[in-house]
Amino acid sequence: MNQHRSDLHALAAAYALDALDPAERDDFTAHLPHCEDCRRDVAEFGATAARLAAATAQEPPPA
Ligand SMILES: [Zn+2]
């Protein structure tokens, strides 16, 4: 019955993008303190999402 636990690792990107269902979010939030891999993934995805958000929120630079 460890399949659910392994699935949690795949939720890191969705968590960073705030795209999880509330139940999934709760599960992942509980998993995060125990999983260094997921903390790193969330940090990396979060940084990428922030860059994308900043890029799309601003006028594109003139070519
Ligand atoms: Zn994990």
Side-chain angles (χ1 to χ4, degrees):
M1 296 293 275
N2 282 336
Q3 185 171 1
H4 184 67
R5 177 177 295 271
S6 64
D7 285 348
L8 284 173
H9 298 293
L11 298 180
Y15 178 87
L17 298 174
D18 199 22
L20 292 180
D21 293 337
E24 288 176 327
R25 188 178 185 84
D26 285 349
D27 285 347
F28 190 80
T29 300
H31 167 74
L32 202 52
H34 307 288
C35 185
E36 185 176 346
D37 286 348
C38 281
R39 287 202 302 272
R40 187 185 60 237
D41 283 352
V42 167
E44 290 177 356
F45 283 125
T48 300
R51 270 199 298 274
L52 288 173
T56 55
Q58 296 170 358
E59 294 289 322

Short mmCIF file of all heavy atoms in Angstrom, two decimals:
data_model
loop_
_atom_site.label_atom_id
_atom_site.label_comp_id
_atom_site.label_asym_id
_atom_site.label_seq_id
_atom_site.Cartn_x
_atom_site.Cartn_y
_atom_site.Cartn_z
N MET A 1 0.83 -1.20 0.00
CA MET A 1 0.00 0.00 0.00
C MET A 1 0.87 1.25 0.00
O MET A 1 0.54 2.27 0.56
CB MET A 1 -0.91 0.00 1.24
CG MET A 1 -1.90 -1.13 1.25
SD MET A 1 -3.12 -0.99 -0.04
CE MET A 1 -4.34 0.08 0.76
N ASN A 2 2.03 1.16 -0.62
CA ASN A 2 2.91 2.31 -0.65
C ASN A 2 2.79 3.11 -1.94
O ASN A 2 3.52 4.05 -2.15
CB ASN A 2 4.38 1.87 -0.48
CG ASN A 2 4.67 1.58 0.99
OD1 ASN A 2 4.00 2.09 1.89
ND2 ASN A 2 5.68 0.76 1.23
N GLN A 3 1.85 2.69 -2.81
CA GLN A 3 1.74 3.38 -4.08
C GLN A 3 1.36 4.84 -3.87
O GLN A 3 1.86 5.73 -4.54
CB GLN A 3 0.70 2.68 -4.95
CG GLN A 3 0.63 3.28 -6.37
CD GLN A 3 -0.24 2.45 -7.29
OE1 GLN A 3 -0.79 1.44 -6.87
NE2 GLN A 3 -0.34 2.85 -8.53
N HIS A 4 0.46 5.08 -2.91
CA HIS A 4 0.02 6.45 -2.66
C HIS A 4 1.22 7.31 -2.27
O HIS A 4 1.37 8.43 -2.71
CB HIS A 4 -1.03 6.46 -1.57
CG HIS A 4 -1.60 7.82 -1.32
ND1 HIS A 4 -2.37 8.48 -2.24
CD2 HIS A 4 -1.49 8.67 -0.28
CE1 HIS A 4 -2.71 9.66 -1.76
NE2 HIS A 4 -2.20 9.81 -0.57
N ARG A 5 2.09 6.77 -1.44
CA ARG A 5 3.25 7.53 -0.99
C ARG A 5 4.15 7.90 -2.18
O ARG A 5 4.61 9.03 -2.27
CB ARG A 5 4.04 6.70 0.03
CG ARG A 5 5.30 7.38 0.50
CD ARG A 5 5.99 6.53 1.55
NE ARG A 5 5.17 6.41 2.78
CZ ARG A 5 5.24 7.29 3.78
NH1 ARG A 5 6.07 8.30 3.72
NH2 ARG A 5 4.49 7.15 4.84
N SER A 6 4.37 6.93 -3.08
CA SER A 6 5.24 7.23 -4.22
C SER A 6 4.56 8.26 -5.14
O SER A 6 5.23 9.09 -5.74
CB SER A 6 5.57 5.97 -4.99
OG SER A 6 4.41 5.40 -5.54
N ASP A 7 3.23 8.22 -5.23
CA ASP A 7 2.53 9.20 -6.05
C ASP A 7 2.78 10.62 -5.54
O ASP A 7 2.79 11.57 -6.33
CB ASP A 7 1.02 8.94 -6.03
CG ASP A 7 0.65 7.75 -6.89
OD1 ASP A 7 1.51 7.29 -7.66
OD2 ASP A 7 -0.50 7.28 -6.78
N LEU A 8 2.96 10.75 -4.25
CA LEU A 8 3.14 12.08 -3.69
C LEU A 8 4.32 12.80 -4.31
O LEU A 8 4.28 14.01 -4.51
CB LEU A 8 3.32 11.99 -2.17
CG LEU A 8 2.05 11.72 -1.37
CD1 LEU A 8 2.40 11.47 0.09
CD2 LEU A 8 1.08 12.88 -1.48
N HIS A 9 5.38 12.05 -4.65
CA HIS A 9 6.56 12.70 -5.22
C HIS A 9 6.22 13.40 -6.53
O HIS A 9 6.81 14.41 -6.87
CB HIS A 9 7.68 11.68 -5.46
CG HIS A 9 8.15 11.02 -4.20
ND1 HIS A 9 8.81 11.70 -3.21
CD2 HIS A 9 8.04 9.74 -3.79
CE1 HIS A 9 9.10 10.86 -2.23
NE2 HIS A 9 8.64 9.66 -2.54
N ALA A 10 5.25 12.83 -7.26
CA ALA A 10 4.87 13.39 -8.56
C ALA A 10 4.03 14.65 -8.42
O ALA A 10 3.76 15.33 -9.41
CB ALA A 10 4.10 12.35 -9.38
N LEU A 11 3.63 14.97 -7.19
CA LEU A 11 2.78 16.14 -6.98
C LEU A 11 3.57 17.42 -6.74
O LEU A 11 2.99 18.49 -6.59
CB LEU A 11 1.84 15.90 -5.78
CG LEU A 11 0.87 14.74 -5.91
CD1 LEU A 11 0.02 14.63 -4.64
CD2 LEU A 11 -0.04 14.91 -7.12
N ALA A 12 4.90 17.31 -6.71
CA ALA A 12 5.71 18.48 -6.34
C ALA A 12 5.46 19.65 -7.28
O ALA A 12 5.29 20.79 -6.84
CB ALA A 12 7.19 18.10 -6.33
N ALA A 13 5.42 19.38 -8.58
CA ALA A 13 5.23 20.47 -9.55
C ALA A 13 3.86 21.11 -9.37
O ALA A 13 3.73 22.33 -9.35
CB ALA A 13 5.39 19.94 -10.97
N ALA A 14 2.83 20.26 -9.25
CA ALA A 14 1.48 20.79 -9.09
C ALA A 14 1.35 21.57 -7.79
O ALA A 14 0.68 22.61 -7.73
CB ALA A 14 0.46 19.65 -9.12
N TYR A 15 2.02 21.08 -6.74
CA TYR A 15 2.01 21.80 -5.47
C TYR A 15 2.64 23.18 -5.63
O TYR A 15 2.11 24.20 -5.16
CB TYR A 15 2.76 20.99 -4.42
CG TYR A 15 2.85 21.66 -3.07
CD1 TYR A 15 1.83 21.51 -2.13
CD2 TYR A 15 3.95 22.44 -2.74
CE1 TYR A 15 1.92 22.12 -0.90
CE2 TYR A 15 4.04 23.06 -1.50
CZ TYR A 15 3.02 22.90 -0.59
OH TYR A 15 3.11 23.51 0.64
N ALA A 16 3.77 23.23 -6.31
CA ALA A 16 4.46 24.50 -6.49
C ALA A 16 3.63 25.48 -7.30
O ALA A 16 3.72 26.69 -7.13
CB ALA A 16 5.81 24.27 -7.17
N LEU A 17 2.79 24.93 -8.19
CA LEU A 17 1.94 25.77 -9.03
C LEU A 17 0.56 25.98 -8.41
O LEU A 17 -0.32 26.55 -9.04
CB LEU A 17 1.78 25.12 -10.41
CG LEU A 17 3.08 24.96 -11.20
CD1 LEU A 17 2.83 24.17 -12.47
CD2 LEU A 17 3.68 26.32 -11.52
N ASP A 18 0.37 25.48 -7.17
CA ASP A 18 -0.89 25.63 -6.45
C ASP A 18 -2.03 25.01 -7.23
O ASP A 18 -3.13 25.56 -7.32
CB ASP A 18 -1.16 27.11 -6.18
CG ASP A 18 -2.19 27.31 -5.06
OD1 ASP A 18 -2.37 26.36 -4.26
OD2 ASP A 18 -2.81 28.37 -5.01
N ALA A 19 -1.77 23.85 -7.83
CA ALA A 19 -2.75 23.19 -8.70
C ALA A 19 -3.29 21.90 -8.11
O ALA A 19 -3.91 21.12 -8.82
CB ALA A 19 -2.11 22.91 -10.06
N LEU A 20 -3.07 21.67 -6.83
CA LEU A 20 -3.54 20.43 -6.21
C LEU A 20 -4.94 20.58 -5.67
O LEU A 20 -5.36 21.68 -5.27
CB LEU A 20 -2.61 20.04 -5.06
CG LEU A 20 -1.20 19.62 -5.43
CD1 LEU A 20 -0.42 19.28 -4.17
CD2 LEU A 20 -1.22 18.44 -6.37
N ASP A 21 -5.68 19.44 -5.64
CA ASP A 21 -6.93 19.41 -4.91
C ASP A 21 -6.62 19.60 -3.42
O ASP A 21 -5.53 19.26 -2.97
CB ASP A 21 -7.62 18.05 -5.08
CG ASP A 21 -8.07 17.83 -6.51
OD1 ASP A 21 -8.27 18.83 -7.23
OD2 ASP A 21 -8.22 16.65 -6.90
N PRO A 22 -7.59 20.10 -2.65
CA PRO A 22 -7.33 20.29 -1.21
C PRO A 22 -6.84 19.02 -0.52
O PRO A 22 -5.93 19.09 0.31
CB PRO A 22 -8.70 20.74 -0.68
CG PRO A 22 -9.34 21.42 -1.84
CD PRO A 22 -8.88 20.65 -3.06
N ALA A 23 -7.41 17.86 -0.86
CA ALA A 23 -6.99 16.61 -0.21
C ALA A 23 -5.56 16.27 -0.60
O ALA A 23 -4.76 15.84 0.24
CB ALA A 23 -7.93 15.48 -0.60
N GLU A 24 -5.23 16.45 -1.87
CA GLU A 24 -3.87 16.17 -2.33
C GLU A 24 -2.89 17.15 -1.67
O GLU A 24 -1.79 16.79 -1.28
CB GLU A 24 -3.79 16.32 -3.85
CG GLU A 24 -4.47 15.21 -4.62
CD GLU A 24 -4.45 15.46 -6.11
OE1 GLU A 24 -4.51 16.63 -6.53
OE2 GLU A 24 -4.36 14.47 -6.85
N ARG A 25 -3.32 18.38 -1.56
CA ARG A 25 -2.47 19.39 -0.97
C ARG A 25 -2.16 19.04 0.49
O ARG A 25 -1.03 19.17 0.94
CB ARG A 25 -3.15 20.76 -1.07
CG ARG A 25 -2.26 21.91 -0.64
CD ARG A 25 -2.97 23.25 -0.81
NE ARG A 25 -2.07 24.34 -0.50
CZ ARG A 25 -1.22 24.84 -1.40
NH1 ARG A 25 -1.19 24.38 -2.62
NH2 ARG A 25 -0.39 25.80 -1.05
N ASP A 26 -3.20 18.59 1.22
CA ASP A 26 -2.99 18.19 2.60
C ASP A 26 -2.01 17.03 2.69
O ASP A 26 -1.10 17.02 3.52
CB ASP A 26 -4.32 17.78 3.25
CG ASP A 26 -5.18 19.00 3.57
OD1 ASP A 26 -4.67 20.12 3.50
OD2 ASP A 26 -6.36 18.79 3.91
N ASP A 27 -2.19 16.02 1.80
CA ASP A 27 -1.30 14.87 1.80
C ASP A 27 0.13 15.30 1.50
O ASP A 27 1.08 14.87 2.16
CB ASP A 27 -1.75 13.85 0.74
CG ASP A 27 -2.99 13.07 1.18
OD1 ASP A 27 -3.35 13.16 2.37
OD2 ASP A 27 -3.57 12.40 0.33
N PHE A 28 0.28 16.14 0.51
CA PHE A 28 1.63 16.55 0.12
C PHE A 28 2.26 17.43 1.19
O PHE A 28 3.46 17.31 1.47
CB PHE A 28 1.58 17.28 -1.22
CG PHE A 28 2.95 17.51 -1.80
CD1 PHE A 28 3.60 16.48 -2.47
CD2 PHE A 28 3.60 18.71 -1.62
CE1 PHE A 28 4.87 16.67 -2.98
CE2 PHE A 28 4.88 18.91 -2.14
CZ PHE A 28 5.51 17.89 -2.82
N THR A 29 1.47 18.30 1.79
CA THR A 29 1.99 19.15 2.86
C THR A 29 2.52 18.31 4.02
O THR A 29 3.53 18.64 4.64
CB THR A 29 0.90 20.11 3.36
OG1 THR A 29 0.48 20.93 2.26
CG2 THR A 29 1.42 21.03 4.45
N ALA A 30 1.83 17.19 4.30
CA ALA A 30 2.27 16.30 5.36
C ALA A 30 3.52 15.53 4.95
O ALA A 30 4.35 15.18 5.78
CB ALA A 30 1.14 15.31 5.70
N HIS A 31 3.66 15.27 3.66
CA HIS A 31 4.79 14.52 3.14
C HIS A 31 6.05 15.39 3.06
O HIS A 31 7.17 14.92 3.27
CB HIS A 31 4.42 13.99 1.75
CG HIS A 31 5.55 13.47 0.95
ND1 HIS A 31 6.17 12.26 1.19
CD2 HIS A 31 6.21 13.99 -0.12
CE1 HIS A 31 7.13 12.07 0.32
NE2 HIS A 31 7.19 13.09 -0.50
N LEU A 32 5.87 16.65 2.78
CA LEU A 32 6.99 17.54 2.45
C LEU A 32 8.09 17.59 3.51
O LEU A 32 9.27 17.51 3.16
CB LEU A 32 6.42 18.93 2.17
CG LEU A 32 7.26 19.89 1.32
CD1 LEU A 32 7.69 19.23 0.01
CD2 LEU A 32 6.45 21.14 1.05
N PRO A 33 7.73 17.70 4.80
CA PRO A 33 8.81 17.79 5.80
C PRO A 33 9.69 16.54 5.87
O PRO A 33 10.80 16.59 6.40
CB PRO A 33 8.06 17.98 7.12
CG PRO A 33 6.72 18.48 6.74
CD PRO A 33 6.42 17.85 5.40
N HIS A 34 9.20 15.42 5.31
CA HIS A 34 9.94 14.16 5.40
C HIS A 34 10.69 13.84 4.13
O HIS A 34 11.34 12.79 4.05
CB HIS A 34 8.97 13.01 5.71
CG HIS A 34 8.10 13.27 6.91
ND1 HIS A 34 8.60 13.26 8.19
CD2 HIS A 34 6.80 13.60 7.01
CE1 HIS A 34 7.62 13.55 9.04
NE2 HIS A 34 6.52 13.76 8.34
N CYS A 35 10.61 14.68 3.11
CA CYS A 35 11.15 14.31 1.82
C CYS A 35 12.00 15.46 1.26
O CYS A 35 11.47 16.46 0.78
CB CYS A 35 10.02 13.96 0.85
SG CYS A 35 10.65 13.35 -0.72
N GLU A 36 13.30 15.28 1.33
CA GLU A 36 14.20 16.32 0.84
C GLU A 36 14.06 16.50 -0.67
O GLU A 36 14.14 17.62 -1.18
CB GLU A 36 15.64 15.95 1.20
CG GLU A 36 16.65 17.02 0.85
CD GLU A 36 18.04 16.66 1.32
OE1 GLU A 36 18.17 15.72 2.12
OE2 GLU A 36 19.00 17.28 0.87
N ASP A 37 13.83 15.40 -1.40
CA ASP A 37 13.67 15.49 -2.85
C ASP A 37 12.51 16.40 -3.21
O ASP A 37 12.62 17.24 -4.10
CB ASP A 37 13.44 14.09 -3.44
CG ASP A 37 14.71 13.26 -3.47
OD1 ASP A 37 15.80 13.84 -3.24
OD2 ASP A 37 14.60 12.06 -3.69
N CYS A 38 11.39 16.23 -2.52
CA CYS A 38 10.22 17.02 -2.85
C CYS A 38 10.42 18.48 -2.45
O CYS A 38 9.98 19.38 -3.16
CB CYS A 38 8.97 16.45 -2.17
SG CYS A 38 8.32 15.01 -3.04
N ARG A 39 11.09 18.72 -1.33
CA ARG A 39 11.35 20.11 -0.95
C ARG A 39 12.19 20.80 -2.01
O ARG A 39 11.94 21.94 -2.39
CB ARG A 39 12.07 20.17 0.41
CG ARG A 39 11.17 19.82 1.57
CD ARG A 39 11.70 20.38 2.88
NE ARG A 39 13.03 19.90 3.18
CZ ARG A 39 13.29 18.77 3.84
NH1 ARG A 39 12.30 18.01 4.26
NH2 ARG A 39 14.52 18.39 4.08
N ARG A 40 13.18 20.08 -2.54
CA ARG A 40 14.03 20.67 -3.59
C ARG A 40 13.21 20.90 -4.86
O ARG A 40 13.31 21.95 -5.50
CB ARG A 40 15.22 19.75 -3.88
CG ARG A 40 16.23 20.39 -4.85
CD ARG A 40 17.32 19.41 -5.22
NE ARG A 40 16.76 18.24 -5.85
CZ ARG A 40 16.94 16.98 -5.41
NH1 ARG A 40 17.68 16.75 -4.37
NH2 ARG A 40 16.38 15.98 -6.04
N ASP A 41 12.37 19.91 -5.21
CA ASP A 41 11.55 20.06 -6.42
C ASP A 41 10.60 21.25 -6.30
O ASP A 41 10.46 22.04 -7.23
CB ASP A 41 10.73 18.79 -6.67
CG ASP A 41 11.57 17.68 -7.25
OD1 ASP A 41 12.74 17.93 -7.61
OD2 ASP A 41 11.06 16.55 -7.36
N VAL A 42 9.96 21.38 -5.14
CA VAL A 42 9.03 22.49 -4.94
C VAL A 42 9.78 23.82 -5.05
O VAL A 42 9.29 24.76 -5.68
CB VAL A 42 8.32 22.36 -3.57
CG1 VAL A 42 7.59 23.65 -3.22
CG2 VAL A 42 7.34 21.20 -3.61
N ALA A 43 10.96 23.88 -4.47
CA ALA A 43 11.73 25.12 -4.54
C ALA A 43 12.09 25.45 -5.98
O ALA A 43 11.99 26.60 -6.43
CB ALA A 43 12.99 24.99 -3.68
N GLU A 44 12.49 24.42 -6.74
CA GLU A 44 12.89 24.66 -8.12
C GLU A 44 11.69 25.01 -8.99
O GLU A 44 11.74 25.97 -9.78
CB GLU A 44 13.60 23.42 -8.68
CG GLU A 44 14.96 23.21 -8.04
CD GLU A 44 15.63 21.95 -8.54
OE1 GLU A 44 15.01 21.20 -9.31
OE2 GLU A 44 16.78 21.72 -8.16
N PHE A 45 10.61 24.26 -8.85
CA PHE A 45 9.41 24.57 -9.63
C PHE A 45 8.85 25.93 -9.23
O PHE A 45 8.38 26.69 -10.09
CB PHE A 45 8.34 23.50 -9.43
CG PHE A 45 8.58 22.23 -10.19
CD1 PHE A 45 8.64 21.02 -9.54
CD2 PHE A 45 8.76 22.26 -11.56
CE1 PHE A 45 8.86 19.84 -10.24
CE2 PHE A 45 8.98 21.09 -12.27
CZ PHE A 45 9.04 19.89 -11.60
N GLY A 46 8.90 26.23 -7.95
CA GLY A 46 8.38 27.51 -7.49
C GLY A 46 9.18 28.67 -8.07
O GLY A 46 8.62 29.68 -8.48
N ALA A 47 10.50 28.53 -8.12
CA ALA A 47 11.33 29.58 -8.69
C ALA A 47 11.04 29.74 -10.18
O ALA A 47 10.95 30.86 -10.69
CB ALA A 47 12.81 29.24 -8.46
N THR A 48 10.86 28.62 -10.87
CA THR A 48 10.54 28.69 -12.30
C THR A 48 9.18 29.34 -12.51
O THR A 48 9.02 30.21 -13.38
CB THR A 48 10.53 27.27 -12.90
OG1 THR A 48 11.81 26.70 -12.72
CG2 THR A 48 10.20 27.31 -14.38
N ALA A 49 8.19 28.96 -11.70
CA ALA A 49 6.85 29.54 -11.85
C ALA A 49 6.89 31.04 -11.58
O ALA A 49 6.22 31.82 -12.26
CB ALA A 49 5.89 28.84 -10.89
N ALA A 50 7.68 31.44 -10.59
CA ALA A 50 7.77 32.87 -10.28
C ALA A 50 8.39 33.63 -11.44
O ALA A 50 7.95 34.73 -11.78
CB ALA A 50 8.60 33.07 -9.01
N ARG A 51 9.40 33.02 -12.06
CA ARG A 51 10.01 33.69 -13.22
C ARG A 51 9.01 33.79 -14.37
O ARG A 51 8.92 34.82 -15.03
CB ARG A 51 11.25 32.91 -13.67
CG ARG A 51 12.53 33.38 -13.00
CD ARG A 51 13.75 32.93 -13.77
NE ARG A 51 13.85 31.48 -13.83
CZ ARG A 51 14.41 30.73 -12.89
NH1 ARG A 51 14.92 31.29 -11.82
NH2 ARG A 51 14.45 29.43 -13.01
N LEU A 52 8.26 32.70 -14.60
CA LEU A 52 7.27 32.72 -15.67
C LEU A 52 6.20 33.76 -15.39
O LEU A 52 5.79 34.50 -16.29
CB LEU A 52 6.64 31.34 -15.82
CG LEU A 52 7.52 30.27 -16.43
CD1 LEU A 52 6.83 28.92 -16.37
CD2 LEU A 52 7.86 30.60 -17.89
N ALA A 53 5.74 33.82 -14.15
CA ALA A 53 4.70 34.78 -13.79
C ALA A 53 5.22 36.20 -14.00
O ALA A 53 4.51 37.06 -14.52
CB ALA A 53 4.27 34.56 -12.35
N ALA A 54 6.44 36.45 -13.58
CA ALA A 54 7.01 37.78 -13.75
C ALA A 54 7.16 38.11 -15.24
O ALA A 54 6.90 39.23 -15.66
CB ALA A 54 8.38 37.85 -13.06
N ALA A 55 7.54 37.11 -16.03
CA ALA A 55 7.75 37.36 -17.45
C ALA A 55 6.43 37.65 -18.15
O ALA A 55 6.35 38.53 -19.02
CB ALA A 55 8.42 36.15 -18.10
N THR A 56 5.36 36.93 -17.77
CA THR A 56 4.08 37.12 -18.44
C THR A 56 3.34 38.33 -17.90
O THR A 56 2.45 38.85 -18.55
CB THR A 56 3.19 35.87 -18.30
OG1 THR A 56 3.05 35.57 -16.92
CG2 THR A 56 3.81 34.69 -19.03
N ALA A 57 3.71 38.81 -16.69
CA ALA A 57 3.02 39.95 -16.11
C ALA A 57 3.56 41.27 -16.66
O ALA A 57 2.96 42.31 -16.48
CB ALA A 57 3.18 39.93 -14.58
N GLN A 58 4.68 41.20 -17.32
CA GLN A 58 5.29 42.43 -17.85
C GLN A 58 5.20 42.45 -19.36
O GLN A 58 5.08 41.42 -20.00
CB GLN A 58 6.78 42.49 -17.44
CG GLN A 58 6.96 42.56 -15.93
CD GLN A 58 8.41 42.37 -15.53
OE1 GLN A 58 9.26 42.13 -16.39
NE2 GLN A 58 8.69 42.44 -14.26
N GLU A 59 5.28 43.62 -19.90
CA GLU A 59 5.35 43.75 -21.34
C GLU A 59 6.61 43.06 -21.84
O GLU A 59 7.67 43.19 -21.24
CB GLU A 59 5.40 45.23 -21.74
CG GLU A 59 4.13 45.99 -21.40
CD GLU A 59 2.99 45.58 -22.32
OE1 GLU A 59 3.25 45.35 -23.52
OE2 GLU A 59 1.85 45.47 -21.83
N PRO A 60 6.51 42.32 -22.92
CA PRO A 60 7.73 41.73 -23.47
C PRO A 60 8.68 42.83 -23.93
O PRO A 60 8.23 43.88 -24.40
CB PRO A 60 7.24 40.91 -24.66
CG PRO A 60 5.89 41.46 -24.99
CD PRO A 60 5.33 42.01 -23.69
N PRO A 61 9.96 42.63 -23.71
CA PRO A 61 10.92 43.65 -24.13
C PRO A 61 10.89 43.81 -25.65
O PRO A 61 10.64 42.84 -26.37
CB PRO A 61 12.26 43.11 -23.65
CG PRO A 61 12.06 41.64 -23.53
CD PRO A 61 10.60 41.44 -23.16
N PRO A 62 11.11 45.00 -26.13
CA PRO A 62 11.15 45.17 -27.58
C PRO A 62 12.28 44.36 -28.21
O PRO A 62 13.35 44.25 -27.64
CB PRO A 62 11.40 46.68 -27.76
CG PRO A 62 11.88 47.17 -26.45
CD PRO A 62 11.35 46.22 -25.40
N ALA A 63 11.98 43.83 -29.37
CA ALA A 63 12.96 42.94 -30.00
C ALA A 63 14.20 43.71 -30.44
O ALA A 63 14.12 44.86 -30.81
CB ALA A 63 12.35 42.28 -31.23
ZN ZN B 1 8.67 13.16 -1.88
#
